[in-house]
Amino acid sequence: TGVFVFVVISGVYSSFAANIILSPLNVTTSVGKTFSVDVLISSNKEAINAVSGLITFPSDTLSVTSISKTGSFISLWAEEPTFSNTGGTINFEGVALNPGFSGATGKVVTITFKAKEAGNINISVKSGSVLANDGNATNVLGTTGGAFVIIEEETKTPVVESAPPAPVKSESTPVITSSTYPDNKKWYPSRE
């Protein structure tokens, strides 16, 4: 009977599981460029009313330029989204008021990063919680994800050298004439 109870409890838990993921999963950029990553709740099957998380990134390679709450299903922030470019961390904690959020996928925040150095790096959701809107604040977090980022060297625009501009003839250019040698296209063998 103990095995049967375990299976039933396990089945109930997995049907409520919701994941904290990053999208897109793969990014290719270059040094000096910015890119954005959405923090999403995915595979959500039941209403949830709170989400929190800690995201880490290599601070020698990336820096956060902004965090946007536009389009988020969170209606109240217990902890405003914050970041530390020194520590390479992003924190957030928010609530979706009753009846909660019940979509299959929902956006929490959008993070914009700037690439500082070339390399292949990971942005990871290190920890988090997703609480069910069940009156018991049951943590239904299934898995956490991350994003793989390829940062290429800055593409340099080739410098094309051009010839200096041709002199412009103007009205003030002097005209030289000679009464002894009147035709400037003809060769005169003697000098006078």
Side-chain angles (χ1 to χ4, degrees), residues 35-57:
F35 63 95
S36 295
V37 174
D38 288 335
V39 179
L40 303 174
I41 300 301
S42 73
S43 302
N44 185 44
K45 294 186 170 73
E46 300 294 329
I48 58 172
N49 67 357
V51 61
S52 65
L54 167 65
I55 297 172
T56 60
F57 61 93

Side-chain angles (χ1 to χ4, degrees), residues 55-65 82-90 111 113-114 116 121-124 126:
I55 297 172
T56 60
F57 61 93
S59 59
D60 58 335
T61 310
L62 294 177
S63 63
V64 174
T65 60
T82 59
F83 62 89
S84 167
N85 282 327
T86 306
T89 59
I90 301 160
I111 307 163
F113 292 94
K114 183 173 185 176
K116 298 182 341 186
I121 56 101
N122 288 304
I123 303 169
S124 303
K126 278 305 211 194

Side-chain angles (χ1 to χ4, degrees), residues 9 18 30 34 46 50 54-55 62 67 77 82 87 105 121 126 131 134-135 156 159 171 184 189:
I9 291 173
S30 58
T34 60
E46 300 294 329
L54 167 65
I55 297 172
L62 294 177
I67 299 177
W77 292 95
T82 59
T105 302
I121 56 101
K126 278 305 211 194
L131 305 182
D134 62 358
K156 303 216 186 251
V159 177
E171 307 282 328
N184 66 355

Side-chain angles (χ1 to χ4, degrees), residues 10-34:
S10 176
V12 169
Y13 175 78
S14 67
S15 71
F16 286 103
N19 306 316
I20 302 175
I21 63 168
L22 302 180
S23 179
L25 296 173
N26 297 297
V27 175
T28 300
T29 190
S30 58
V31 173
K33 301 287 184 187
T34 60

